[in-house]
Amino acid sequence: MGIRYNRDSRRATNGPMIFFTDPSAEIDLRDEIRGAISSQLSFYAYRRPGDMMISYGSSEGFVEGIGIPGFAIAPFNPNLPAITIPWRPIKSAYSGKPYDCRFPAKSTTFHEYALEIESIRSMLKTQGGGKTVASRVICKDGKIDVGATFSELCRRYPDAFVFTFSTPLTGCWIGATPELLLNGAPGKLSTMALAGTRKAGDSGEWDIKNSEEQQMVADYIVKCLKSHGLETYTGEKYNRQAGDIEHICTPISAFPSENFDESCLISLLKELSPTPAVCGLPKKESLKLILEKETHERGCYGGFCGPFSSLTDFSFHVVLRCALIEDSRYALFAGGGITMRSAAEDEWNETEMKAGTLMQTIVPD
């Protein structure tokens, strides 16, 4: 079922509101997305955590980099450029490197995942600790109703950043991520350290493996912010629920000076993404191992996306709990942080829970 929006109030008959350029129009999000896909347009739709407003837009093209108002997308591989689908439609203006967004050849087997975990553990033993994130894919046949699935994600996960986007460079992605990468507001930047995973509602203290993993992420983020001359404030840890699972979350704030400009933002984003929660520490070694050992391309999984209006008005979120969609098939991505304390079976079960966030909401077309 699509979302139908009232022409006068812009309020959907089944709940959310939508923002679009022409407030006199009436729009069914499912039909708009289906039309954009059939016309091979670049498009985006997103719903911020806790919000009732859905934003949607489409364009014939996109541009390289972050800096003009629009919907920004960055892949997992930091050697590839970010792109922006502008608020105002344009002709294609991208001439940069192609993304590694090929559809996976097959699902990751338990044996393959266990071998990757063992490779990571060997590297960690050699370097004396750290963590690296191992990811896997679950490939499924079937056509997805992207607009209806987006609507269902909004309904089920009110505290997530729900998104879908498509460009010729990235392919079509959809997801509901619990992780904020960086939010910009006047005089303040906000982020979070999100790591550790268990079933929602489990009582008692977190185990050592998850606690150590989350602390690594928090320490790294604070270090990045301070290296850019930013004053930081770290809030109290709490359990952040994401569907049927929960994570340890530490809110972190930073306060930019008047000299904080676009180049400062881009430099900071390059250090933050991919975060230790989706890549690992040390970052360089973890990234190298991931790119060499994983049997699939991560594409946009583990990168980030979100709206950018100005240096004091943007909201970028890590692309997690997501799927890459093609005409009659889709691939779900999930991963887990591997430390010296990790066990392959436990990590496999964790990725099963994470993939379930999206799996149970998919609406067939």
Side-chain angles (χ1 to χ4, degrees), residues 84-343:
T84 297
I85 305 174
W87 299 147
R88 296 182 178 277
I90 62 165
K91 298 285 186 180
S92 184
Y94 180 81
S95 58
K97 297 179 181 178
Y99 279 14
D100 299 323
C101 282
R102 289 171 293 178
F103 195 89
K106 63 181 183 63
S107 298
T108 308
T109 66
F110 177 78
H111 178 67
E112 290 168 337
Y113 199 58
L115 285 177
E116 182 180 359
I117 290 173
E118 190 55 40
S119 296
I120 292 171
R121 284 169 52 84
S122 296
M123 183 190 76
L124 297 179
K125 185 176 181 180
T126 300
Q127 67 190 22
K131 65 166 281 189
T132 296
V133 175
S135 76
R136 54 177 284 232
V137 290
I138 303 170
C139 299
K140 297 283 187 179
D141 292 327
K143 192 173 180 63
I144 290 180
D145 186 325
V146 179
T149 300
F150 178 89
S151 174
E152 182 64 10
L153 286 169
C154 289
R155 186 185 69 82
R156 284 187 181 237
Y157 307 116
D159 296 325
F161 180 79
V162 180
F163 62 88
T164 181
F165 60 81
S166 179
T167 73
L169 194 64
T170 61
C172 182
W173 293 78
I174 192 168
T177 175
E179 185 173 355
L180 171 69
L181 177 69
L182 194 65
N183 185 83
K188 183 180 179 181
L189 299 173
S190 302
T191 183
M192 64 171 60
L194 191 77
T197 303
R198 69 183 185 186
K199 289 184 178 180
D202 278 3
S203 59
E205 298 295 322
W206 285 81
D207 61 34
I208 296 175
K209 185 265 181 184
N210 282 292
S211 297
E212 287 180 346
E213 181 187 347
Q214 200 271 344
Q215 192 61 50
M216 289 181 203
V217 176
D219 291 345
Y220 177 82
I221 291 174
V222 170
K223 181 180 178 181
C224 284
L225 295 171
K226 288 184 175 179
S227 71
H228 283 73
L230 298 170
E231 177 188 353
T232 65
Y233 171 79
T234 301
E236 294 293 327
K237 293 180 183 178
Y238 68 96
N239 295 342
R240 180 175 173 84
Q241 187 169 342
D244 297 330
I245 59 179
E246 63 184 11
H247 311 284
I248 310 171
C249 182
T250 303
I252 302 170
S253 301
F255 307 96
S257 67
E258 294 180 356
N259 297 324
F260 188 81
D261 57 15
E262 188 175 306
S263 64
C264 293
L265 173 62
I266 300 304
S267 176
L268 179 57
L269 289 172
K270 283 187 176 294
E271 281 201 46
L272 288 175
S273 181
T275 71
V278 294
C279 181
L281 288 172
K283 184 173 178 177
K284 182 178 179 181
E285 288 77 4
S286 293
L287 181 63
K288 183 174 185 294
L289 187 145
I290 289 168
L291 295 177
E292 288 178 353
K293 295 292 184 180
E294 287 192 345
T295 58
H296 57 274
E297 304 290 354
R298 289 197 181 187
C300 291
Y301 166 70
F304 65 87
C305 68
F308 176 90
S309 293
S310 70
L311 288 173
T312 57
D313 184 8
F314 63 86
S315 189
F316 300 142
H317 299 255
V318 182
V319 177
L320 297 174
R321 313 294 191 269
C322 60
L324 173 63
I325 301 170
E326 288 196 347
D327 285 343
S328 57
R329 58 181 182 170
Y330 56 95
L332 299 107
F333 291 72
I338 309 305
T339 71
M340 289 299 297
R341 299 179 187 273
S342 295

